[in-house]
């Protein structure tokens, strides 16, 4: 859990979409004072939900009272929206504000160029399991040492946090942990559909496939063995598992598809930068 001093920072969150809301809800669940949080979002339903929790809510920049100094400015908009709208937020940033961007691809130098008041910028790549405290977050800052305690205090409440020293690695991070949950969701979707083709009814197919994915993931987390050893441990020679794996691993097609998947995601991150 974050230290109380980190939970009492005055924070502005711009963007209450899936990721912004996941982070904000995680902070609230960990004891952050709702009245210390200010949220800007165009969605009235999103604003009403957080207003009911005690968060200050606004539909646009103009509604935010002048003179407020924010310790942290969390920029949780899509990259395309940031490029179009971000300059309007410049007045809400002071010399002491730490700007934290969770947008894929937008580099620190670009953020500083678009927001001249932002002297202190940290990029963080989270992923959606942060919604349940099981996220993986990776941070980068050209002034990393100054923000280690602040950023780790805020984001470690949502899962595991790591730093990188080279911002170029953020493209790979985005492709792996940032986009990775979607790849696994698609695998689970295909697994369910395969269960149906074997004649299981829809409900049972879903329960068996998804609970198997969940159980295997928990075993990975709790075991001291790496995933290759775990796979070999459940693969009896000439058994059913080996037969299935031989089809799955034939000609390394799945491995090649995974590599292509991650490479394309990283390439898109580069394009967005």
């Amino acid at each position: 859990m974050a230290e109380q001093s980190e939970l009492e920072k005055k924070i502005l969150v711009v963007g209450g979409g899936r990721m912004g809301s996941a982070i904000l809800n995680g902070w609230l669940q960990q004891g952050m004072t709702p009245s210390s949080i200010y949220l800007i979002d165009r969605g009235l339903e999103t604003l009403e939900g957080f207003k009911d929790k005690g968060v200050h809510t606004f539909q646009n920049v103009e509604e935010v009272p002048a003179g407020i100094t924010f310790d942290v400015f969390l920029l949780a908009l899509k990259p395309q929206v940031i490029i179009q709208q971000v300059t309007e937020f410049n007045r809400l940033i002071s010399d002491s504000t730490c700007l934290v961007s969770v947008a894929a691809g937008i580099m620190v130098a670009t953020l500083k160029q678009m927001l001249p008041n932002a002297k202190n910028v940290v990029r963080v790549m989270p992923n959606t399991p942060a919604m349940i405290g099981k996220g993986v977050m990776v941070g980068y800052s050209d002034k990393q040492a100054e923000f280690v305690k602040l950023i780790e205090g805020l984001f470690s409440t949502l899962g595991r946090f790591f730093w990188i020293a080279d911002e170029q690695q953020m493209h790979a991070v985005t492709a792996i942990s940032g986009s990775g949950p979607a790849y696994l969701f698609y695998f689970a979707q295909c697994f369910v559909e395969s269960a149906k083709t074997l004649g299981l009814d829809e409900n049972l197919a879903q329960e068996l496939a998804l609970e198997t994915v969940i159980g295997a993931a928990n075993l990975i987390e709790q075991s001291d063995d790496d995933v290759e050893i775990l796979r070999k441990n459940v693969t009896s020679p000439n058994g059913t598992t080996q037969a299935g794996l031989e089809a799955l691993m034939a000609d390394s097609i799945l491995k090649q598809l995974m590599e292509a998947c991650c490479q394309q995601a990283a390439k898109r991150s580069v394009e967005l930068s």
Side-chain angles (χ1 to χ4, degrees):
M1 180 179 289
E3 294 184 11
Q4 193 64 24
S5 59
E6 309 309 328
L7 296 173
E8 292 176 350
K9 297 291 185 181
K10 189 169 289 186
I11 297 178
L12 173 66
V13 178
V14 177
R18 286 188 180 88
M19 188 53 66
S21 291
I23 293 170
L24 186 44
N25 279 319
W27 286 341
L28 291 172
Q29 290 168 10
Q30 291 297 324
M32 186 175 287
T33 305
S35 60
S36 69
I37 303 173
Y38 296 70
L39 171 65
I40 300 176
D41 192 87
R42 297 191 184 279
L44 289 175
E45 186 175 346
T46 296
L47 294 179
E48 284 298 320
F50 282 108
K51 185 176 181 180
D52 290 342
K53 297 177 182 180
V55 173
H56 301 282
T57 58
F58 311 94
Q59 267 199 297
N60 54 63
V61 175
E62 289 72 24
E63 293 178 1
V64 181
I68 300 178
T69 300
F70 295 103
D71 298 291
V72 176
F73 182 136
L74 177 68
L75 188 58
L77 298 173
K78 296 182 186 300
Q80 298 88 338
V81 177
I82 288 176
I83 292 170
Q84 295 171 358
Q85 300 179 359
V86 75
T87 54
E88 65 187 77
F89 303 118
N90 195 55
R91 76 167 183 87
L92 301 176
I93 301 172
S94 70
D95 288 347
S96 61
T97 302
C98 180
L99 173 66
V100 181
S101 170
V102 296
I106 307 295
M107 308 289 277
V108 166
T110 303
L111 289 165
K112 288 184 174 181
Q113 184 177 11
M114 291 189 294
L115 293 164
N117 288 352
K119 310 302 181 187
N120 314 304
V121 179
V122 178
R123 284 184 64 192
V124 173
M125 176 50 61
N127 61 12
T128 51
M131 297 169 66
I132 58 169
K134 300 293 285 186
V136 178
M137 285 135 296
V138 179
Y140 167 80
S141 173
D142 53 3
K143 298 180 179 179
Q144 180 178 319
E146 298 182 27
F147 303 106
V148 167
K149 183 179 179 183
L150 172 64
I151 299 304
E152 289 182 358
L154 289 173
F155 284 94
S156 62
T157 64
L158 308 177
R160 299 286 303 279
F161 190 91
F162 303 89
W163 287 103
I164 55 173
D166 180 359
E167 189 176 12
Q168 290 300 319
Q169 290 185 327
M170 200 58 98
H171 300 305
V173 168
T174 300
I176 301 301
S177 57
S179 300
Y183 314 153
L184 297 179
F185 297 152
Y186 182 63
F187 174 84
Q189 178 185 344
C190 292
F191 199 15
V192 171
E193 293 301 318
S194 297
K196 292 181 192 177
T197 65
L198 289 173
L200 297 175
D201 69 66
E202 185 169 351
N203 288 337
L204 184 58
Q206 180 144 322
E207 289 287 347
L208 292 184
L210 297 187
E211 288 300 326
T212 298
V213 171
I214 293 167
N218 284 327
L219 183 57
I220 291 172
E221 182 179 43
Q222 296 179 30
S223 176
D224 293 330
D225 295 326
D226 64 30
V227 289
E228 183 177 7
I229 295 299
L230 290 174
R231 173 177 61 80
K232 290 179 177 178
N233 286 345
V234 297
T235 307
S236 301
N238 300 316
T240 59
T241 305
Q242 180 176 324
L245 282 173
E246 284 176 353
L248 190 64
M249 299 168 71
D251 300 320
S252 298
I253 292 175
L254 179 61
K255 183 174 183 290
Q256 292 171 23
L257 286 173
M258 282 304 305
E259 289 175 353
C261 168
C262 296
Q263 287 169 0
Q264 285 300 310
K267 178 182 177 183
R268 181 56 180 155
S269 178
V270 172
E271 292 170 353
L272 289 171
S273 67

